[in-house]
Amino acid sequence: MKSKHLFLSFLFLLFWSFTMSAQDQIEDLVEEGIAYHDKGEFAQAIETYKKALSIDPNSTLVNYEIAFSHFCKGDYEEAIKYSDNVLIQEKGNMLEAYTTKGSALDMLGKTKESIELFEKAIKKMNGHYLLFYNLGLNYYKTNDLDKAEVNVINAIEHNPNHSSSHLMLANIQNQKGNAVPTLLATHYFLFLEPDSKRSIQALDMLYKNFWGNVTKDPNKPNTINILVSNNDNSPFSTAELMISMLEASKSLEENKEKTEDEMFVENTESFFKVLGEMKKKRNKEIWWTFYVTFFYDLAKSDHIETYCKYITQSNNKDSQKWLTDHESKLIEFDSWLKSN
């Protein structure tokens, strides 16, 4: 009897050793495949992943990695096939597989199917910011701006640090012609992602919404035209008028010697403070509870100049130089952020 137990123990140890060895091989091959993928060598990555798949055909990690490399290679049907290998098991890497499959369906022109998949995934996985974001992106592509907005706001509520969600919300509001919400979402995107290719475009959108409602008559140099929104029901109508007045204030005698950068800092501070003073307890929307709350606190701090230099660094050499020369200000700003 004792020898039987020893034999079973030996078999268990042998099986455990084999399993661990196989798992180590899979992990090594996955790391190798990822290295190829990151260099854009997707075909080589796929071949490497397939070696891992020959060891464990049901590995959700390997099936997902193959799906993702196929997606990046433009083989969307294959991406869907390997994503389904993950989804049918309902184990690991479900989020990644849903995201890859949904994006592949969209790229194949099957946006409606992609929307249905993401809606199903949100229910199955109790919501995740990437699922909400991708669903919002699909609705945005189909020009259903209201549904796009709802889902992107859900994404932000699940992960406020997802910069892409703030940028998409800004684009949605910009397309709707809502200047103040566009500014708020754009500001927060630039706060999270101040120095990228997307930042340059976002900064341009911010400037256009901040300065775009004021024009000068070339035949009447002392005359300024202010465009006022026709949406009297907008909770931001007062703030929109205030933005125009701030831009018009550049022409005042007291401001004529100030630079564009100096005026941007002053007007941004005024904009945030006015919105903060407009906020009421009954305001429950994200614009007031999240954006205005943060920016009002910022405007009342000693860091508004640092903030303005920080978010404009992507396309402003003076801001870049200022940040280099005032490293201590950045450290103080960071400390303030951590304490709030």
Side-chain angles (χ1 to χ4, degrees):
M1 192 71 174
K2 185 176 181 181
S3 61
K4 184 179 179 181
H5 281 303
L6 288 172
F7 179 69
L8 290 173
S9 297
F10 172 74
L11 286 178
F12 174 77
L13 289 171
L14 187 65
F15 174 77
W16 181 81
S17 177
F18 173 78
T19 302
M20 291 302 293
S21 175
Q23 188 59 38
D24 288 343
Q25 289 181 59
I26 290 172
E27 289 177 1
D28 289 343
L29 287 167
V30 167
E31 286 185 16
E32 185 181 341
I34 290 173
Y36 283 124
H37 179 99
D38 290 346
K39 290 188 289 186
E41 298 175 10
F42 304 123
Q44 189 64 51
I46 291 167
E47 288 305 310
T48 305
Y49 293 138
K50 283 184 176 179
K51 293 177 185 177
L53 208 60
S54 68
I55 301 171
D56 181 5
N58 293 320
S59 170
T60 58
L61 173 62
V62 178
N63 274 285
Y64 157 67
E65 294 292 357
I66 292 179
F68 186 51
S69 287
H70 273 300
F71 177 83
C72 294
K73 189 169 176 278
D75 297 335
Y76 303 122
E77 296 285 2
E78 288 294 293
I80 291 170
K81 183 180 83 172
Y82 283 99
S83 294
D84 282 338
N85 290 344
V86 176
L87 297 175
I88 198 170
Q89 297 184 66
E90 296 191 345
K91 293 180 181 177
N93 302 101
M94 293 282 286
L95 172 65
E96 296 89 343
Y98 272 126
T99 303
T100 302
K101 180 178 179 178
S103 299
L105 286 168
D106 180 50
M107 294 302 292
L108 288 169
K110 300 177 181 179
T111 305
K112 184 178 179 181
E113 289 182 42
S114 179
I115 287 172
E116 291 172 355
L117 179 74
F118 282 125
E119 288 177 338
K120 173 186 173 183
I122 287 169
K123 291 178 182 178
K124 197 168 188 68
M125 303 192 69
N126 298 318
H128 188 281
Y129 76 93
L130 286 176
L131 297 174
F132 281 119
Y133 170 77
N134 280 281
L135 180 56
L137 178 60
N138 280 344
Y139 277 125
Y140 182 73
K141 288 179 178 178
T142 60
N143 205 36
D144 192 335
L145 299 183
D146 290 337
K147 287 185 179 179
E149 178 179 339
V150 168
N151 282 284
V152 174
I153 288 175
N154 275 329
I156 292 169
E157 289 174 344
H158 279 73
N159 183 4
N161 293 322
H162 188 231
S163 59
S164 294
S165 292
H166 294 282
L167 181 58
M168 191 193 301
L169 186 56
N171 282 316
I172 291 167
Q173 295 303 316
N174 190 52
Q175 197 163 323
K176 285 185 172 185
N178 298 329
V180 173
T182 300
L183 286 167
L184 290 171
T186 307
H187 265 287
Y188 209 86
F189 166 76
L190 289 167
F191 166 62
L192 294 174
E193 190 178 312
D195 192 17
S196 68
K197 290 181 180 179
R198 300 194 303 175
S199 305
I200 297 172
Q201 296 174 334
L203 190 58
D204 182 59
M205 180 164 60
L206 186 145
Y207 286 150
K208 285 179 179 176
N209 278 276
F210 206 39
W211 300 334
N213 291 336
V214 176
T215 59
K216 290 184 178 180
D217 189 334
N219 299 317
K220 299 177 182 178
N222 295 321
T223 301
I224 296 174
N225 300 314
I226 297 177
L227 302 177
V228 182
S229 172
N230 292 324
N231 187 2
D232 296 330
N233 296 322
S234 170
F236 300 110
S237 55
T238 301
E240 287 181 13
L241 178 60
M242 181 268 296
I243 293 171
S244 301
M245 297 301 293
L246 288 173
E247 172 61 13
S249 71
K250 291 180 180 180
S251 302
L252 297 176
E253 189 66 33
E254 62 200 68
N255 292 325
K256 284 186 176 179
E257 298 300 318
K258 294 177 182 177
T259 66
E260 284 282 338
D261 287 353
E262 289 172 332
M263 290 302 301
F264 179 70
V265 172
E266 288 186 19
N267 289 350
T268 298
E269 179 180 359
S270 298
F271 172 57
F272 290 158
K273 283 184 175 179
V274 168
L275 282 173
E277 290 159 6
M278 286 173 59
K279 179 184 173 185
K280 299 180 175 126
K281 288 184 179 180
R282 67 173 181 269
N283 296 133
K284 303 297 181 185
E285 297 87 356
I286 191 173
W287 315 110
W288 304 101
T289 60
F290 179 76
Y291 290 119
V292 170
T293 298
F294 172 74
F295 288 125
Y296 186 43
D297 287 342
L298 175 61
K300 292 185 294 182
S301 75
D302 297 324
H303 308 290
I304 191 67
E305 181 180 19
T306 305
Y307 166 80
C308 288
K309 301 298 184 184
Y310 183 73
I311 68 163
T312 57
Q313 63 180 286
S314 64
N315 201 26
N316 188 317
K317 290 183 179 180
D318 290 333
S319 291
Q320 294 167 12
K321 184 178 185 307
W322 190 95
L323 291 169
T324 300
D325 295 342
H326 297 81
E327 187 176 348
S328 61
K329 294 280 188 180
L330 275 173
I331 295 172
E332 291 170 8
F333 181 38
D334 182 60
S335 298
W336 178 82
L337 289 169
K338 289 176 179 176
S339 65
N340 282 273

